[in-house]
Amino acid sequence: VVNAARRHARRGAFPLVPLDLTTHDKADPTSPTPDELAAGSAEIDVLRAAISELPERQRMPVILRYYSGLTDQEIGQTLGVPPGTVKSRLHSARKALELAMDRSSSPAATPVLLPVSKC
């Protein structure tokens, strides 16, 4: 079942949605600055890494939904599972990705050294 989804992806059966972060229109004041684009690029790298670490049963629905734009019904047909299972797996994956993004954005815990008093 998963191999069928992979085969479809390799054959280009599902159009991929490009993430173009290189455009920056100087005439538009609402356009992100290069620094904002760089920060967004770092977040995308973290998100991609987090997606790659998901279990395959969660990763495949995420890829088929957000990269290929398939519906729950289409994902279910591709993976051979009911649409309710697709919804459940997407929910679990989103929670795991949210946790991974929160962990990456929190500052690293640094140990606090307290002075030792001599008695």
Side-chain angles (χ1 to χ4, degrees):
V1 174
V2 173
N3 287 337
R6 287 182 179 155
R7 232 182 352 266
H8 283 282
R10 275 195 300 266
R11 291 182 187 157
F14 305 119
L16 295 179
V17 179
L19 297 174
D20 185 13
L21 296 175
T22 59
T23 60
H24 178 67
D25 185 7
K26 294 179 183 175
D28 184 5
T30 61
S31 179
T33 65
D35 290 337
E36 291 170 337
L37 289 175
S41 177
E43 287 178 354
I44 289 174
D45 290 342
V46 170
L47 181 60
R48 285 184 179 151
I51 290 171
S52 71
E53 292 183 15
L54 286 173
E56 191 162 339
R57 63 185 306 130
Q58 291 177 357
R59 184 174 58 247
M60 290 306 294
V62 166
I63 291 170
L64 293 173
R65 164 61 61 82
Y66 298 106
Y67 286 87
S68 300
L70 299 183
T71 64
D72 293 340
Q73 186 74 26
E74 292 168 329
I75 295 169
Q77 289 173 352
T78 302
L79 298 178
V81 298
T85 302
V86 172
K87 290 178 184 180
S88 173
R89 290 178 183 179
L90 285 169
H91 175 76
S92 299
R94 282 191 297 266
K95 289 294 182 186
L97 293 172
E98 182 180 358
L99 181 62
M101 294 300 289
D102 286 346
R103 275 186 281 153
S104 73
S105 66
S106 64
T110 55
V112 177
L113 301 175
L114 300 174
V116 179
S117 60
K118 294 183 181 179
C119 296

